[in-house]
Amino acid sequence: MNASHSSSSVPESAKKTEAYYGVENVVNTELQFFSNAKRRIDACMNFTIPSLGTRTEQIKKSFMNAKNRGVKIRYLTEITKDNIEYCKEMMENVDELKHLEGIMSNFVLSESEYLAPVFIADVERIAPEIIYCNINSFVEQQQYFFDVLWNKAETAEQKFREIEAKQEADFIEIIRDPNKVLKLAFDLIVEAKEEILVIFSTENAFHRQTRAGAIKLVIEATCRGVKASILTPFDERVRRFVEELEGQYDSWNTSLDNKNYRDDNKNEHPGRLNSVTKLKIRPIEPQLQTKISILIVDRKYSLAVELKDDSKDTSDKAMGLASYSNSKSTVSSYVSIFQSLWRQLDVYEQLKEANKQQQILIEQLRIHDNLQQEFINTAAHELRTPIQPILGLTDILSSKKGDIEQYQEYISIINRNARRLKLLTEDILDVAKIEAKSLELKNDTFDLVAAINSLLDDYRKDHDSLVKKYKILFECKFKSVFVYGDRNRISQVVNNLLDNAIKYSKHGLIIISLSKITQNTKKWIISVKDDGQGIDSQILPRLFTKFTTKSEHGIGLGLFISKSIVEAHGGRIWAENNVDGKGATFSFSLPTSK
Amino acid sequence: MSKRILIVDDEADINTALREILESNGFTVNTFENPRLALDNFKPYFYDLLILDIKMPEMSGFSFYREIKKLDDKMKVCILTAAEIKYGEYSDILSSLPDNCIIQKPVTSEDLLKIIYKVIQCNLK
């Protein structure tokens, strides 16, 4: 941007208002301005500029040269605790420096020129742009404006004293009066701006401060956004307090979320709820108990109070000497004590969790070990039992002579037990295949109705005496139901469920049903319902896992194998006790097609 | 007079096989598949030897042992089990039985007879 104005008091050719861009142009313009000034320079600068002015060598020199030429320099800025040292240095290069609270304008005037650097907000560096003007009337206006500000400002010396008075010296003060200690603690908590850290020596110290109102003040501080953490030994009352506080924070947060907070509800809350940061209270382990309680506020002040008599009800009687300090080393020592205790609790919690996990693992290993032993016992029993009649009767038969017909009973016993061994061996091999993930299905489309009917025919033939005791019904509305899968394996599942139903019912009714859940569903459900003793509630959760059996006979593999077969077909198997309280129903689903 | 043996085992086929072996060797044998029935029909001081299975529904061999010893403290007892003797409760309870005659199934006819002869100190053949 470039613009020109005319003025009557300077030659027409020299009258101008211009903007210069780029750091180099800006600095050159400023240096030219300083060397042009003859009688006075008035600078009005925000609080960031004094440091820039003293650190930029060229500008600093320009001030010095102008002053040495006899130019009277007045400097107006906001003196703060952060720029006070730069302002003091600046005073050596100017005639007078004054403070004006909150001044944000940036311009510099001589008797004939005006300069206004355009700074980027809060960025402390040379302005990237500067506006220049030498139109007399404008310069005069700005001079008037500067004078108004100047007259309102206070002297630098006055401001320096004010700031330095606030920058207290380090102190450590011993306080003997418990009431004074208590009042000081309250004041510190109320004035806390960022953080409150507390270590209580005993749980009673916590209770005493709860009664005295200190804890309430800490909670109020958290509602102002102050972060607060307390370490204290825990007893049942502290535990309850922490739980209730948790609940309160939840309700306050809800009221914040709902934006229902109104001034007339103030009493329900400990303070204005702008941003609630939860008060964190953690237990110190008993062996970490200290004999002093410590309050640290904003990492600036510490108050350490000795415990004189923990049996007293009130703080004034329980507390001994207190040391109050703002010394950086004292306060930071207390902060690090607090932090290391706090972190120690983290480590302790992690250790406890690790121990818990280890215990769970040990318990799992123990269960696994027990299951394995149980399996060895059961497998041993089931494998050895059928061998006994085979061994005994073959011994007998080998000593007999004559017609084999008269020993037909022995031969069928041998045959039956050999078959029993065969089934057991197949089950064990199936489990080995399942576990090795090598169970192969010979899938094809087959008629499930025909498969179940054929299975029942064989079952009745093979278990002639058994079947007489039971009534086995097959209910199905469909003449044929085609599914895709391994017919033998699916028959094995139905067979297993039927075996179980017979094993656990005495003389009952067993109903096998084949249905669709709904008309549109693509899954068939095969169920085997018995009216026996039902499923033991202890067994129910691990019914389909290996070695689960309540029977004196059987190895507990049938349902595990069935589940694996059904799932390999994309189906699901489940069991439930019947609603009428008699017996159980085992069901599995199968998809209709590929 | 032939020695009398009572067999209690829930496996009917095992009872049949053992009965055949023992009877053909001169013993008088009674068998029961149901231990409760065996108790109900038990004649004290009638049998020389009890061959007892452990893992049975209705009543375990251990419970049966305790009951039968109350009725007849003279009868010898041999445990005949298919379970793994060295594991779990079996090893503890079995080793506590005073008769301490434990036969692991399956047992050959020859070995079974040897043990029986030794226990009841007889040799019929």
Side-chain angles (χ1 to χ4, degrees), chain A residues 30 45-46 49 52 106 117-121 123 125-129:
Chain A
E30 284 177 352
M45 296 288 158
N46 75 34
I49 311 301
L52 194 66
N106 297 303
V118 182
F119 289 100
I120 297 168
V123 180
R125 59 172 181 174
I126 305 277
E129 184 182 344

Side-chain angles (χ1 to χ4, degrees), chain A residues 282-283 285 340-360:
Chain A
R282 280 189 173 183
E285 289 303 305
S340 62
L341 285 178
W342 192 267
R343 279 193 219 111
Q344 206 168 333
L345 286 173
D346 280 338
V347 173
Y348 181 74
E349 286 300 314
Q350 284 164 3
L351 208 62
K352 263 203 322 205
E353 182 56 26
N355 268 339
K356 214 168 94 186
Q357 292 300 331
Q358 199 180 12
Q359 286 306 319
I360 291 171

Side-chain angles (χ1 to χ4, degrees), chain A residues 344-413:
Chain A
Q344 206 168 333
L345 286 173
D346 280 338
V347 173
Y348 181 74
E349 286 300 314
Q350 284 164 3
L351 208 62
K352 263 203 322 205
E353 182 56 26
N355 268 339
K356 214 168 94 186
Q357 292 300 331
Q358 199 180 12
Q359 286 306 319
I360 291 171
L361 206 64
I362 290 170
E363 181 58 16
Q364 281 172 345
L365 283 174
R366 201 186 57 76
I367 291 170
H368 181 74
D369 195 45
N370 282 351
L371 274 176
Q372 264 195 336
Q373 276 200 10
E374 216 172 285
F375 168 68
I376 290 169
N377 250 337
T378 314
H381 185 270
E382 291 304 295
L383 285 165
R384 282 170 179 151
T385 298
I387 300 173
Q388 185 64 67
I390 295 172
L391 203 58
L393 292 174
T394 46
D395 277 347
I396 297 286
L397 286 176
S398 60
S399 67
K400 300 284 183 190
K401 291 186 177 100
D403 189 359
I404 200 163
E405 281 298 315
Q406 57 182 313
Y407 304 113
Q408 201 53 53
E409 190 202 342
Y410 295 168
I411 292 167
S412 35
I413 291 176

Side-chain angles (χ1 to χ4, degrees), chain B residues 34-45:
Chain B
N34 184 333
R36 290 206 183 279
L37 269 181
L39 262 185
D40 291 346
N41 292 288
F42 184 69
K43 286 185 233 167
Y45 305 104

Side-chain angles (χ1 to χ4, degrees), chain A residues 388 395 410 416-417 553, chain B residues 10-11 13 20 55 107 109:
Chain A
Q388 185 64 67
D395 277 347
Y410 295 168
R416 184 163 58 234
N417 282 281
H553 299 291
Chain B
D10 62 316
E11 291 281 341
D13 291 345
E20 185 58 37
K55 203 175 173 187
V107 61
S109 313

Side-chain angles (χ1 to χ4, degrees), chain A residues 90-235:
Chain A
M90 182 60 85
M91 276 189 77
E92 292 170 13
N93 304 324
V94 301
D95 290 281
E96 212 177 340
L97 191 143
K98 275 191 168 183
H99 161 82
L100 190 60
E101 197 74 27
I103 184 79
M104 289 304 287
S105 302
N106 297 303
F107 62 91
V108 55
L109 291 163
S110 70
E111 64 286 344
S112 57
E113 291 177 312
Y114 167 90
L115 266 188
V118 182
F119 289 100
I120 297 168
D122 291 344
V123 180
E124 204 181 290
R125 59 172 181 174
I126 305 277
E129 184 182 344
I130 201 160
I131 294 163
Y132 171 84
C133 182
N134 62 355
I135 302 164
N136 285 347
S137 58
F138 181 76
V139 175
E140 277 162 18
Q141 271 176 31
Q142 294 305 308
Q143 188 63 56
Y144 174 75
F145 176 54
F146 180 86
D147 289 342
V148 169
L149 296 176
W150 185 257
N151 290 335
K152 285 189 169 192
E154 59 182 308
T155 63
E157 290 77 6
Q158 195 179 336
K159 186 64 190 172
F160 290 162
R161 276 196 301 277
E162 212 175 285
I163 290 172
E164 280 163 354
K166 276 191 185 168
Q167 288 178 343
E168 304 157 282
D170 282 0
F171 65 82
I172 297 178
E173 188 185 342
I174 304 294
I175 310 172
R176 291 172 191 278
D177 177 0
N179 290 319
K180 205 177 154 195
V181 174
L182 212 56
K183 186 178 177 306
L184 177 61
F186 282 19
D187 287 348
L188 284 171
I189 295 169
V190 169
E191 283 165 19
K193 288 185 175 61
E194 290 170 7
E195 184 189 63
I196 298 170
L197 306 174
V198 187
I199 304 174
F200 282 111
S201 52
T202 63
E203 53 269 42
N204 287 339
F206 181 90
H207 299 316
R208 280 190 292 270
Q209 290 308 324
T210 309
R211 281 195 296 274
I215 304 294
K216 186 169 172 270
L217 289 178
V218 173
I219 297 169
E220 285 179 9
T222 63
C223 295
R224 298 194 303 269
V226 174
K227 288 181 196 159
S229 309
I230 295 178
L231 283 168
T232 177
F234 265 42
D235 61 6

